Amino acid sequence: MKLTPNISIMNALLRITCGFTCLTWAGAKLAKKPWNNSYLIVAMLSGMKIGEGILRYCPVTDMVEEGLEKKMDSEESEFLPNRY
């Protein structure tokens, strides 16, 4: 698995913006209702989105692209003649 940037600059900026927005919203909600765990989960996921935007690496995108490459390779091998 390579850790090179796999998302664009615009995608990264969008992830950072949405991540900080959701993190701020979750923080405000946690200040009012600290017993509600769903806001904590939103805060954690938002932090992950911020990290993805800063690093410009998304593991989900990487897994999907890797899966598509494997699928394309297997489809190509179906059309090749079998040699015994």
Side-chain angles (χ1 to χ4, degrees):
M1 181 168 70
K2 60 184 185 327
L3 295 177
T4 57
N6 63 353
I7 58 174
S8 66
I9 296 283
M10 188 59 75
N11 193 338
L13 290 174
L14 187 65
R15 286 173 192 254
I16 292 170
T17 303
C18 291
F20 274 122
T21 302
C22 291
L23 184 63
T24 304
W25 175 81
K29 291 293 185 177
L30 272 172
K32 284 188 164 193
K33 299 178 183 178
W35 59 86
N36 196 341
N37 290 335
S38 63
Y39 299 132
L40 184 61
I41 293 171
V42 170
M44 291 170 57
L45 293 175
S46 299
M48 288 175 50
K49 287 296 164 187
I50 294 168
E52 288 174 4
I54 291 171
L55 295 176
R56 289 187 54 208
Y57 176 76
C58 178
V60 175
T61 303
D62 194 28
M63 285 190 296
V64 168
E65 288 176 354
E66 189 175 306
L68 288 175
E69 288 175 5
K70 286 182 181 178
K71 184 175 180 180
M72 292 298 287
D73 289 342
S74 67
E75 287 178 358
E76 288 175 2
S77 64
E78 288 177 6
F79 296 113
L80 295 174
N82 291 334
R83 294 184 183 180
Y84 298 103

